[in-house]
Amino acid sequence: MDDRAKRIVETAVALAERDGYQAVRLRDVAATAQVALGTVYKRFASKEEILIAALEQESEKLVAKIGKKPVPGDNSRERVRFVFTALTKGLLRRPNLAKALVRSLASGDPNITERVASFHALITALVMAAIRGEAPADEAVWGGEVDERERTIASILQNVWFASFVGWAGGLHDGPQLLDDVDKTAALLLAA
Amino acid sequence: MDDRAKRIVETAVALAERDGYQAVRLRDVAATAQVALGTVYKRFASKEEILIAALEQESEKLVAKIGKKPVPGDNSRERVRFVFTALTKGLLRRPNLAKALVRSLASGDPNITERVASFHALITALVMAAIRGEAPADEAVWGGEVDERERTIASILQNVWFASFVGWAGGLHDGPQLLDDVDKTAALLLAA
DNA sequence: GGGCAAAATAGAACACGTTTCACTTCTTTA
DNA sequence: TAAAGAAGTGAAACGTGTTCTATTTTGCCC
């Protein structure tokens, strides 16, 4: 990502953080990033793509922070809770931004399918590492055999988290409730 | 819902069914429904609200059909699979419409929160009835005590279904995969 | 340093959701 | 049945995402 693209994404993040999705007006983004509107569209095909780029950037930061050390906790459930708590708190710290990002994630725009899949894979890897009690980075190391059951559980947890996140973004419930949904799921799926 | 409102929703459904969300242009909706644009906005606050009304209408039809008789199946898991299969197939029969509706459902628009919650409650009731093996309509009869564990499981299943549905709408995977996600979850959560 | 292709720019223009307004047509009620 | 208010209408206008165009600037090669 070149300099201009970075400025564009950072501006979008700043605007979303302050006033949410609708405040990310591309004319404002362009002006603030000191770039012409045409340049914005040379780099990104749409507003959604800018926000997905922002999601990538933010989630990578978050995952990097979480995944640096082995996940703390004596058993799968505790480690899973730790990971989702960290993710959720990291995002809810800037609620307007989080809502804007989840909106793009759930937009169903076919042009961002691969990016959405990457995000999905990123979280799944994190959760699987938590279940096993390894540092996520290690995952690159052990080459092959993934436990199918573990993958399924990780995927379920992620789906519950995502659905609950969307519910939170839509005002259905609050942050603690969101975490509670995931934790209850973990309680049922993971032996202590 | 008066006559005009019905025509508006039906037109929106027809347009979404043919060509998806972006094809539901409100000027076209108004023209086809033989109504002025101002009248559309007298009945519905936004495009999202029209589509949520459509979702309510369609899901009620679907649930009415599914919930008429006791759900077939010898155990919880089979009954749950039956219910989600029926729901999913009913929706995927008109994929463009389904994508448009799920988009509204996941839009995060705070003005439709209650409607989204109602939809959620509707599905939860259906799933809980399937877990127990009762006709959903009976639920009104037995007054009180809901098993907390059953409610949690129903909620998880619904969340997985929803998340997977959003994934399908975004091109992440296909219909059978969607059902498989839910079924695998049911396998882990429900004793046969 | 001059020329050239690629990139950037300013700004107009278009599409569509949404709002507004002036006017007409119903419906109610006294 | 006439008056009043509610509802509907057609059309214009506005905001913002997106596209397009003509012009300028930049980076590079000879």
Side-chain angles (χ1 to χ4, degrees):
Chain A
M1 217 169 45
D2 66 11
D3 219 51
R4 277 167 221 264
K6 268 188 218 121
R7 291 208 307 275
I8 290 166
V9 172
E10 265 155 37
T11 303
V13 166
L15 292 176
E17 184 174 343
R18 181 174 315 285
D19 291 309
Y21 184 88
Q22 97 293 143
V24 184
R25 280 181 293 267
L26 297 201
R27 284 166 180 83
D28 293 354
V29 170
T32 309
Q34 314 231 58
V35 136
L37 191 51
T39 303
V40 172
Y41 276 93
K42 180 103 55 180
R43 298 297 195 294
F44 302 94
S46 67
K47 178 168 172 173
E48 300 293 344
E49 299 221 354
I50 299 175
L51 288 169
I52 283 292
L55 174 69
E56 264 168 8
Q57 184 181 291
E58 297 299 312
S59 60
E60 267 157 28
K61 269 189 215 163
L62 218 46
V63 168
K65 189 154 36 158
I66 297 169
K68 213 176 303 177
K69 316 181 239 241
V71 177
D74 293 339
N75 55 55
S76 294
R77 188 181 166 191
E78 281 180 13
R79 290 190 296 271
V80 163
R81 183 189 310 155
F82 175 88
V83 162
F84 279 112
T85 301
L87 275 176
T88 306
K89 282 199 177 153
L91 286 167
L92 296 209
R93 188 161 294 127
R94 291 172 296 174
N96 290 334
L97 176 60
K99 278 178 204 164
L101 298 183
V102 81
R103 173 171 174 159
S104 294
L105 198 53
S107 70
D109 182 338
N111 294 108
I112 59 177
T113 304
E114 296 78 18
R115 247 77 62 78
V116 173
S118 296
F119 176 78
H120 191 93
L122 184 67
I123 305 294
T124 298
L126 199 58
V127 175
M128 287 186 67
I131 292 175
R132 298 170 154 241
E134 295 168 2
D138 295 354
E139 216 180 355
V141 180
W142 46 265
E145 80 312 345
V146 266
D147 183 323
E148 210 33 61
R149 179 190 161 85
E150 274 175 9
R151 177 173 291 288
T152 301
I153 290 176
S155 167
I156 291 169
L157 288 167
Q158 187 189 353
N159 278 338
V160 169
W161 182 68
F162 171 75
S164 213
F165 212 121
V166 171
W168 166 81
L172 245 49
H173 46 247
D174 56 21
Q177 168 76 260
L178 201 178
L179 277 174
D180 199 46
D181 280 358
V182 176
D183 194 44
K184 275 185 183 149
T185 307
L188 291 176
L189 290 175
L190 296 169
Chain B
M1 215 168 48
D2 67 12
D3 219 51
R4 276 167 223 267
K6 268 187 218 122
R7 291 208 305 275
I8 290 166
V9 172
E10 264 155 38
T11 304
V13 167
L15 292 176
E17 185 174 341
R18 180 175 314 285
D19 291 308
Y21 184 88
Q22 97 291 143
V24 184
R25 282 181 293 267
L26 297 202
R27 286 167 177 85
D28 293 355
V29 169
T32 309
Q34 314 230 56
V35 136
L37 190 51
T39 303
V40 171
Y41 276 94
K42 181 105 53 180
R43 297 299 196 293
F44 302 94
S46 68
K47 177 169 171 170
E48 300 292 345
E49 299 221 352
I50 299 175
L51 288 169
I52 284 293
L55 174 68
E56 265 169 6
Q57 183 181 291
E58 297 298 312
S59 59
E60 269 157 26
K61 270 189 216 165
L62 219 46
V63 168
K65 188 153 39 157
I66 297 169
K68 214 176 303 177
K69 317 182 240 243
V71 176
D74 293 338
N75 55 54
S76 294
R77 187 182 167 193
E78 281 180 13
R79 290 190 295 270
V80 162
R81 183 190 315 163
F82 176 87
V83 160
F84 279 112
T85 302
L87 275 176
T88 306
K89 283 199 176 153
L91 286 167
L92 295 209
R93 187 161 294 128
R94 290 171 298 174
N96 291 333
L97 175 61
K99 279 177 203 163
L101 298 183
V102 82
R103 174 169 173 161
S104 294
L105 198 53
S107 71
D109 182 338
N111 294 109
I112 60 175
T113 304
E114 297 79 16
R115 246 78 63 78
V116 173
S118 296
F119 176 77
H120 191 93
L122 183 67
I123 305 295
T124 298
L126 199 58
V127 175
M128 287 186 68
I131 292 176
R132 297 167 155 243
E134 295 168 3
D138 295 355
E139 216 178 355
V141 181
W142 47 265
E145 82 310 348
V146 266
D147 183 323
E148 211 32 65
R149 180 189 161 86
E150 274 175 9
R151 177 172 291 289
T152 300
I153 291 176
S155 166
I156 292 169
L157 288 167
Q158 188 187 352
N159 278 338
V160 169
W161 182 67
F162 172 75
S164 212
F165 212 120
V166 171
W168 167 80
L172 245 51
H173 44 247
D174 56 20
Q177 169 78 260
L178 201 179
L179 276 174
D180 199 47
D181 281 359
V182 176
D183 195 44
K184 274 184 183 149
T185 307
L188 291 175
L189 291 175
L190 295 169

